[in-house]
Amino acid sequence: MQIETITTHPYNDQNPGTSGLRKKVKVFQQPGYLENFVQAIFDSLDGLAGKTLVLGGDGRYFNRPAIQVIIKMAAANGFGELIIGQGGLLSTPAASHIIRKYNAFGGLILSASHNPGGPDEDFGIKYNVSNGGPAPEKDTNAFYQRSLVIDSYKIASIEDIDLDCIGTQRIDNFSITIIDPVADYAELMQSIFDFNLLKQSISSGYITLLFDAMHAITGPYAKRIFIDILGATPDSVINAEPLEDFGGHHPDPNLAHAQELAERMFGSAPPVFGAASDGDGDRNMITGSNIFVTPSDSLAIMAANAHLIPAYAKGLRGVARSMPTSQAVDRVAAHYNIPCYETPTGWKFFGNLLDAGKITLCGEESFGTGSDHVREKDGLWAVLFWLNLIAIKRQSVADIVNEHWQKFGRDIYCRHDYEAVEIDIANDIVDHLRNQLPTLPGQTFAEYTVKYADEFSYEDSIDGSISSNQGIRIGFENGSRIIFRLSGTGTVGATLRIYLERFEADASKHNQSAQVVLATLINLAEQFCEIKKRTGRTEPNVVT
C-alpha cells in the first residue's frame, strides 16, 4: 500500500461544537479542509495502530465522497480495520452500538444531525470514543488545537471502495468490512422491548402508528423494525427513503418541520401513535391522537414508567437531564428516591454518568432521550419505548400524559428559537444578560420574584472536569425559570434559545395553552434580553 504525505495549511475555524464540526458543504469541499480535520483527530489519538474504526453517516450530500477520503486516511494512519454501514449509512445510535458491540477503538460519524442537507446546506463530522459516546471536551479541544498548526496529512493511494457490497475486503494488512447498517441495532431493540406484545397489539389493531423518517437515516431502520418485524402496514412509515437533501425538507422532528405527520395526527381519524426522527436518527418527536408530548414530559413519563419495560424491570439507578430541560423528571426522581443529575447540553456529559453506573435514563429538551443501552440519544428507541408503554398500559398517549400530570403536576414549558442571529448581536445579548445577573435576585416582576440569576457551570462528578458558560438562568421563587443559551448546532450565525417553564400543580389548569400560561414569562424574557429590539424581529423562528 503506497502512502502519500500531502502538504497542507491550517484552517482556523475547525473548533468542534456540542456535536462535532458542522459547516456548509462548500466549506468542507475546500482543498484539504476535510482531510485536515480528520488528520487532526488521528494525530490526537494515542494507540490507534491496528485498531478498529467504525464509519458511517446519515446519507446527506457529500457523505459518500467524504467516506472514501476517510477510508484512505484511516489506512494511511495505521488503523487495522474499518467497519462501515452499507451505502455509507449508519444512524448515530446504531454507530454507538456497533462501536460498543465490536469493541472498536472509536468511530467517525458523518452528520449535521437535524440541519438541512444538499450542495448548499450543511455537513458535519464527529468522533466517538470507545464507549460509543461523543468525544469529551478534552479530546475535542485537542482536535482543535492540532488543526491550528497542522501542515500535512497522510492518505493511501488505493481505489475507491464499493460501499454497497456487504462483506470484507483486504488491502495488505488493512481490512474493510461493509455491514448491514440495521441488523445489529434491530437485534439490540429486541433485547430491550417486548416485541411479542408489540406484534400482538399491532396485528389486533389496538395500536395504529405513523412514523415519519423525514427522508433521513431512520427510514431503513423503521421499515425493518416496524413493518418487517412488528407487522405494521407499509403505509405506517412515510418519507422512508434517505435522500441527500432530505427531499428539500428540514429533518428536524418538531411540529413546524414534520408537517405531514402533524396534519395526520391532529386531523380527523388520526392513528393511535405518531412519531418522527431527525437526520441522523438520534432525536424523536412523540405524538398521539391530537396531542403533542414535549420532550421534557416524555423523559419524565419514561422515567416514571420504566419498570414496565423488560430491560428496566429492576428500576432505574438514576436519571439525568440537561440544564434547560424542564424539572418534570426531577419530580419523578424525588418520588422514587433515585438520584437526578443536571448537566450542560450535549450528550457527552451523560457519558461519564452512564459509564459509572450512576444513571440509566437521560434526556434533553431538544428532542433527545436515551439510556444505558448506547452512549447517544436514540430516536427509534424512544419510539419503541412509547409503543411498549401503550401496549402494556392499554392507554392512549393522551391518557398516559394526563395520568402523569395528575400524579406529578405539570411543568408547562416551551422553547423559542431565534435562528441565524448575527454573531456580534448574539454575543452582545449575552453580555447584556450577564451584566444584569448581580442585580436581579430579590426583584419582583408582576407575580414573579427572582430567587437566583446566574450562569450555569458544571463540575463533572466522575472526572472533576469543569464546564463553564453553559447558559444563563433566571429562577423565580415559585419555581419558574427563564433560561437563555446560544446553541452550538447551527452553521450560520448563532441561534439564541429561550426556555420558559412554570410548574402547575392544579389539575384543573393542566390543559391550558403553554403560550397563554407563559405569556408573562415570555414578555419578561424579552425585557431581559431585548432580542426583538436588537434584531428587529417580531417572533421566534421556531416555537417548541
Side-chain angles (χ1 to χ4, degrees):
M1 186 190 305
Q2 183 180 346
I3 296 171
E4 295 183 74
T5 300
I6 308 296
T7 300
T8 188
H9 64 86
Y11 292 89
N12 63 4
D13 63 346
Q14 296 191 327
N15 191 5
T18 5
S19 295
L21 182 67
R22 294 180 186 173
K23 302 288 181 182
K24 292 296 181 186
V25 167
K26 285 181 169 56
V27 174
F28 271 99
Q29 290 175 325
Q30 294 176 97
Y33 193 91
L34 170 68
E35 293 87 345
N36 279 19
F37 189 63
V38 172
Q39 189 66 55
I41 293 173
F42 291 165
D43 286 349
S44 303
L45 302 176
D46 293 326
L48 61 77
K51 298 297 178 61
T52 299
L53 182 74
V54 172
L55 178 60
D58 61 15
R60 68 178 56 234
Y61 188 87
F62 196 57
N63 192 72
R64 279 180 176 261
I67 283 177
Q68 296 292 354
V69 169
I70 294 169
I71 290 170
K72 296 167 186 176
M73 291 186 67
N77 279 273
F79 278 101
E81 180 185 20
L82 282 178
I83 299 176
I84 306 173
Q86 185 181 25
L89 299 177
L90 277 178
S91 77
T92 291
S96 178
H97 173 54
I98 289 165
I99 291 169
R100 295 167 63 80
K101 178 175 180 178
Y102 296 104
N103 298 311
F105 185 80
L108 285 172
I109 300 174
L110 309 185
S111 173
S113 187
H114 56 294
N115 293 5
D120 298 315
E121 296 295 351
D122 300 343
F123 187 76
I125 179 170
K126 71 171 182 172
Y127 181 74
N128 280 32
V129 295
S130 60
N131 76 344
E137 285 189 324
K138 65 179 178 62
D139 289 337
T140 55
N141 288 339
F143 303 160
Y144 177 50
Q145 293 304 317
R146 178 59 185 152
S147 77
L148 293 174
V149 296
I150 197 163
D151 58 7
S152 66
Y153 61 86
K154 296 178 184 176
I155 192 163
S157 298
I158 57 177
E159 295 294 321
D160 282 358
I161 300 300
D162 183 351
L163 298 175
D164 299 307
C165 182
I166 289 176
T168 299
Q169 308 168 56
R170 296 196 66 86
I171 304 171
D172 296 339
N173 293 322
F174 182 62
S175 70
I176 301 163
T177 301
I178 308 296
I179 64 167
D180 179 333
V182 179
D184 290 307
Y185 178 83
E187 181 182 36
L188 176 64
M189 293 301 103
Q190 291 180 80
S191 74
I192 295 173
F193 302 106
D194 188 341
F195 268 44
N196 288 329
L197 177 61
L198 287 174
K199 286 181 191 176
Q200 294 166 10
S201 299
I202 291 170
S203 65
S204 69
Y206 180 75
I207 291 179
T208 53
L209 68 103
L210 182 66
F211 180 81
D212 188 350
M214 305 189 82
H215 284 305
I217 189 63
T218 52
Y221 293 81
K223 288 173 68 175
R224 181 84 58 87
I225 293 171
F226 298 140
I227 298 172
D228 297 346
I229 299 176
L230 295 178
T233 58
D235 59 359
S236 297
V237 179
I238 58 175
N239 302 317
E241 182 186 356
L243 300 176
E244 288 190 335
D245 66 349
F246 306 118
H249 298 297
H250 193 153
D252 192 354
N254 58 50
L255 294 174
H257 295 305
Q259 291 180 353
E260 184 177 354
L261 175 73
E263 287 172 4
R264 290 275 301 278
M265 297 309 299
F266 287 88
S268 59
V272 168
F273 178 81
S277 191
D278 69 328
D280 66 333
D282 62 357
R283 298 183 183 215
N284 70 90
M285 179 175 75
I286 302 298
T287 66
S289 300
N290 292 293
I291 185 171
F292 162 70
V293 186
T294 72
S296 294
D297 276 341
S298 182
L299 173 63
I301 290 166
M302 287 177 168
N305 292 281
H307 60 281
L308 300 175
I309 304 298
Y312 313 108
K314 294 181 180 178
L316 304 177
R317 288 185 292 273
V319 295
R321 63 168 174 83
S322 65
M323 182 272 289
T325 302
S326 94
Q327 299 162 100
V329 75
D330 304 39
R331 305 181 202 286
V332 175
H335 179 83
Y336 288 106
N337 195 30
I338 59 174
C340 182
Y341 298 85
E342 182 182 45
T343 74
T345 296
W347 210 259
K348 56 193 172 187
F349 294 104
F350 294 138
N352 281 352
L353 295 168
L354 289 164
D355 286 346
K358 299 285 188 182
I359 62 171
T360 310
L361 209 66
C362 48
E364 297 180 336
E365 54 70 39
S366 53
F367 294 79
T369 36
S371 83
D372 57 0
H373 69 290
V374 290
R375 293 298 181 268
E376 289 278 5
K377 48 185 175 278
D378 190 345
L380 282 179
W381 166 88
V383 171
L384 286 163
F385 197 118
W386 268 92
L387 284 170
N388 211 160
L389 276 190
I390 295 167
I392 292 169
K393 293 173 75 73
R394 311 303 285 181
Q395 291 178 302
S396 68
V397 173
D399 287 344
I400 291 171
V401 171
N402 285 313
E403 179 184 74
H404 182 86
W405 289 346
Q406 291 275 346
K407 183 172 183 178
F408 295 100
R410 180 187 176 191
D411 283 83
I412 301 173
Y413 181 91
C414 74
R415 186 183 92 195
H416 289 192
D417 286 5
Y418 290 84
E419 297 174 344
V421 178
E422 290 182 26
I423 294 290
D424 289 345
I425 293 175
N427 289 332
D428 285 344
I429 288 171
V430 172
D431 288 340
H432 177 65
L433 286 164
R434 282 195 186 112
N435 291 336
Q436 296 175 70
L437 295 179
T439 63
L440 285 176
Q443 289 196 51
T444 298
F445 304 87
E447 61 190 291
Y448 296 95
T449 299
V450 178
K451 182 178 181 180
Y452 63 88
D454 62 15
E455 192 158 15
F456 184 56
S457 180
Y458 176 70
E459 181 176 356
D460 193 295
S461 61
I462 309 303
D463 64 18
S465 61
I466 295 175
S467 300
S468 303
N469 304 322
Q470 296 297 317
I472 288 174
R473 307 185 298 179
I474 300 173
F476 301 92
E477 296 286 355
N478 64 1
S480 299
R481 298 191 303 166
I482 302 174
I483 293 161
F484 303 88
R485 179 178 164 270
L486 292 181
S487 171
T489 59
T491 59
V492 177
T495 296
L496 177 67
R497 289 186 169 154
I498 302 174
Y499 311 84
L500 308 125
E501 175 182 4
R502 174 179 173 137
F503 178 67
E504 181 56 70
D506 185 347
S508 69
K509 299 179 180 178
H510 284 168
N511 290 318
Q512 298 179 90
S513 161
Q515 300 305 309
V516 172
V517 174
L518 299 172
T520 302
L521 286 175
I522 292 168
N523 290 334
L524 281 177
E526 170 60 20
Q527 181 178 328
F528 293 143
C529 77
E530 300 180 343
I531 187 167
K532 291 179 181 177
K533 175 182 174 182
R534 290 167 180 262
T535 63
R537 301 188 186 189
T538 57
E539 59 185 15
N541 298 83
V542 179
V543 175
T544 51

